[in-house]
Amino acid sequence: MGAGVEVYGNCSSCHGGSGEGGSGRPLANGEVNKTFPHIEDQLRFVYFGTEAYNVAGVTNYGDPN
């Protein structure tokens, strides 16, 4: 949990301190599951970041629409 808190500090500026959203998509209340319905995709994105999706030609990753 401590490592997660430390890492999320890098994410909270966009996703909000409680995952409520902001300039980044909301993560709280199941919203992240709409963007990444498969946990593997969410983990892959967190691990590799936007750049890996861009290199693969995916410009609108995880769009729940």
Side-chain angles (χ1 to χ4, degrees):
M1 292 296 287
V5 168
E6 184 177 326
V7 170
Y8 188 71
N10 297 321
C11 308
S12 64
S13 62
C14 294
H15 294 288
S18 299
E20 70 278 5
S23 62
R25 295 181 193 233
L27 303 175
N29 300 318
E31 289 297 315
V32 72
N33 295 326
K34 293 177 184 175
T35 303
F36 296 106
H38 305 287
I39 187 67
E40 296 86 355
D41 293 330
Q42 180 184 359
L43 294 172
R44 193 174 295 116
F45 177 74
V46 169
Y47 185 77
F48 292 113
T50 303
E51 185 177 342
Y53 281 82
N54 292 338
V55 168
V58 179
T59 57
N60 198 11
Y61 61 88
D63 183 358
N65 296 316

